[in-house]
Amino acid sequence: MARALRPSFEIGSVRVRAGRAQSLALPITRLVTGADVDLPIRVVHGREEGPTVWVDAAIHGDEAVGVEVVRQVLAALDPKTLRGTLIAVPIVNVLGFMNGSRYLPDRRDLNRSFPGAPRGSLAGRIAHLFMTQVVDQCEVGIDLHTGSDRRTNLPQVRGDLEDARTRELAAAFAAPVMLHAKVRDGSLRHAAREHGATVLLYEAGEAWRMDAWAVGAGVLGVRRVLAALGMTEPVAEDPPAPSAVSWRSGWVRARGTGMLHLEVALGQHVDEGQRLGGLFDSFGKRVRLVHANRAGIVIARTEAPLVTSGDAVVHIAEVEA
């Protein structure tokens, strides 16, 4: 007797049959030219039962790494063997991405606009659309980001590590560091958690760059999480090193103004008081040294050549022994 197929997956006005993958576009707004702006989505609806998971990128329009992560993850998925359903949204902030801007045209930060409202601002309407069509159908989400404001991030997963399910999936992702991070009002992670979803936030690389090492770590991490959820077979590779666990982190800030020369790399362990670099004037005279304010791992650093007093220059995560 033939086994009954799973019901079709409904999203927007589209029904995706089990064992199929389908792309669709949800209307957002219309440009002054009359052209439509849509939210691009691809649904991979497996033949067999399993979790429903979303993965998204480019909530900030200048963050390109996650878009490539989504592309590579989708390329390796077969709906005929997938257990469960994956909703992939490679570019959430479509207008910002087209303009190479972190924000929407009205300068709103989309990741401070959730859960949104159907008749609110443009940001609020996009957030509401994403929540109702994507998040409300899922039990787990992976939100892909990069550093901002000329900063680059070590591959890391942020989430509520006090929640056992979140910590389990963060460990499965196996980024170099998993960091306990409080949720921010208006963020996707906060709104999705309020709707009952478990959310991992991946940070890696620099805005508006396609850092291959950040992409590679993200692709492996997403694939590991899908495997941990039983949706795919385990990733065929040597077991990854366990993530360093951090409950606290903080930025070292410049105590002067000058040209910055950093002497530490992402992922490097530093001791409290260790020299991280120095500030120099335009003639090469050193005007200030930069020292670590705690012991830990460098998880982010500025790439700006010029800093002023108070600027964040190195982000250090304290890690469990």
Side-chain angles (χ1 to χ4, degrees), residues 125-293:
R125 294 180 186 212
I126 296 171
H128 177 76
L129 179 68
F130 192 90
M131 291 294 298
T132 56
Q133 294 297 321
V134 178
V135 173
D136 284 349
Q137 305 211 59
C138 297
E139 55 198 85
V140 173
I142 305 175
D143 185 22
L144 305 172
H145 288 265
T146 72
S148 63
D149 192 25
R150 292 174 294 178
R151 299 171 185 166
T152 185
N153 285 339
L154 179 76
Q156 60 197 262
V157 167
R158 301 181 183 182
D160 179 8
L161 300 187
E162 293 178 335
D163 176 70
R165 183 60 165 161
T166 303
R167 182 159 181 169
E168 175 189 1
L169 294 179
F173 197 108
V177 175
M178 57 179 178
L179 177 67
H180 178 66
K182 295 179 180 179
V183 293
R184 293 187 177 183
D185 290 344
S187 67
L188 170 60
R189 187 161 69 94
H190 179 255
R193 193 180 73 169
E194 293 295 304
H195 283 231
T198 300
V199 185
L200 302 180
L201 189 151
Y202 175 66
E203 288 272 6
E206 187 179 355
W208 216 232
R209 293 187 183 276
M210 200 70 81
D211 298 305
W213 50 270
V215 171
V219 172
L220 280 174
V222 173
R223 291 174 60 195
R224 290 177 186 134
V225 171
L226 297 181
L229 292 169
M231 299 174 69
T232 62
E233 296 304 312
V235 178
E237 60 163 21
D238 293 332
S243 302
V245 179
S246 175
W247 295 92
R248 287 184 27 173
S249 69
W251 282 92
V252 176
R253 296 187 176 274
R255 299 179 63 186
T257 298
M259 305 295 291
L260 177 66
H261 294 264
L262 286 178
E263 301 167 5
V264 290
L266 293 177
Q268 183 174 333
H269 288 256
V270 296
D271 297 319
E272 185 175 0
Q274 180 177 331
R275 174 173 161 172
L276 305 178
L279 298 172
F280 298 81
D281 67 16
S282 58
F283 299 106
K285 179 183 176 181
R286 190 174 69 203
V287 295
R288 179 75 70 171
L289 290 174
V290 179
H291 294 97
N293 59 5

